Amino acid sequence: MLNLSAMQLDAIREIGNVGAGNSATALSQLINKKIDMDVPSVSVVPLADVPELVGGPDTMVAGIFLRVYGKAPGSVLFLMPKESAFYLVEHLLGEPKNSDGELDEMDQSALMEIGNILAGAYLNALSYYTKLTLLPSIPAMAVDMAGAILNVVIVQLGQMGDHALVIETQFLSEDDGINGHFFLIPDSGSLQTILNAVGVK
Amino acid sequence: MAELLKVGIADYKTGKAPSKIISYGLGSCIGITLYDKIAKIGGLVHIMLPDSTQARATENPAKFANTGIPLLLKEVLALGAIKSRLVAKLAGGSQMFKFAGASDIMSIGLRNAELAKKTLTECNIKIVGEDLGGTYGRTVEIDLETGLYKIKTINKGEKII
């Protein structure tokens, strides 16, 4: 199990803050609305509790998932309620959506592009801050139960241990249309690399 | 008292009728049930990885197919189930995200399913129902009164095996 000092937690929170701030700006420019974000929460949670962070394992969400390659590999996951996904698609593609409907291929492709931009913005900030080169993979997306989507990330962590370090930031748009959770989940070992890079022992 | 027992990831529960055992939001994970219909005793294990011999952290046996199934078997027998009457059902093992050039980790559901079935065969337990694969999540629930295994999905409806 991971033991982090108060100073290390602070450093990680700051890293999350810089990354998420960059992402929030990108998102705000995309939809031309003000986006608020929370101070990132950093927590080490048992794997089984991760789905609870987004409202329980059978909550329906849209998830965009990317792997991070480079010196500090990990995963990035952007989760939002289905309504937020529809809202984003509406604002991007400029056509109203019936929120009972399905996301078609075009919609999913638009959302993946958003995931790409957000993750890119996040990783850019992180790269700048740590001087580590971090590159996102092609995004993948699914609209399904939160637990099932989180499985993908949890499984990778599960090979290493029973706890996950989750850096989570919540986004909220000015008209409450979007409410999303951004997760950065470093692979085991990557956290140490990041902490070393910013000079926190 | 009818209880609804909840099983988390890499976790298991056993019980007797009229209780039910549920596990929410399985993706690549698999929910494996063992059930003795005469004693009305059963259990459900929610495994997330196939093989404990290939992992670094192995302190929790319920996490792996090859160790979770023997563990569940031991526990249902301890509760009074008879080995020769036990039957197994499996659900889950999907691939939630499709990548171009899917890496090893993306086909984990498939490997979970393979090793779960192999382990059940090695334990001499008959598999009487399965709902595996696909690209969607499942919530699974076994009714220990009947042994029926209910599988709920978001877009693919409900199924009982």
Side-chain angles (χ1 to χ4, degrees), chain A residues 89-169:
Chain A
V89 169
E90 270 178 30
H91 279 78
L92 269 183
L93 302 179
E95 49 189 77
K97 276 261 157 222
N98 169 11
S99 64
D100 296 332
E102 303 265 312
L103 292 164
D104 61 29
E105 214 161 298
M106 183 69 173
D107 303 339
Q108 297 220 5
S109 160
L111 286 171
M112 279 196 260
E113 191 46 38
I114 292 178
N116 218 1
I117 293 167
L118 296 187
Y122 197 108
L123 294 179
N124 265 340
L126 196 51
S127 285
Y128 182 79
Y129 200 65
T130 58
K131 307 281 179 280
L132 298 167
T133 306
L134 299 168
L135 297 167
S137 73
I138 297 168
M141 122 144 241
V143 181
D144 212 305
M145 300 172 187
I149 289 178
L150 280 163
N151 249 195
V152 177
V153 179
I154 293 170
V155 162
Q156 302 185 35
L157 295 165
Q159 288 175 318
M160 305 299 174
D162 288 314
H163 289 80
L165 175 95
V166 178
I167 303 167
E168 186 209 7
T169 313

Side-chain angles (χ1 to χ4, degrees), chain A residues 65-80:
Chain A
F65 172 77
L66 301 103
R67 283 288 296 159
V68 178
Y69 301 117
K71 288 267 165 57
S75 301
V76 161
L77 185 66
F78 187 60
L79 283 185
M80 60 196 148

Side-chain angles (χ1 to χ4, degrees), chain B residues 120-135:
Chain B
L120 285 166
T121 310
E122 282 167 5
C123 293
N124 288 315
I125 296 168
K126 199 173 159 204
I127 299 168
V128 295
E130 60 175 68
D131 179 38
L132 298 165
T135 56

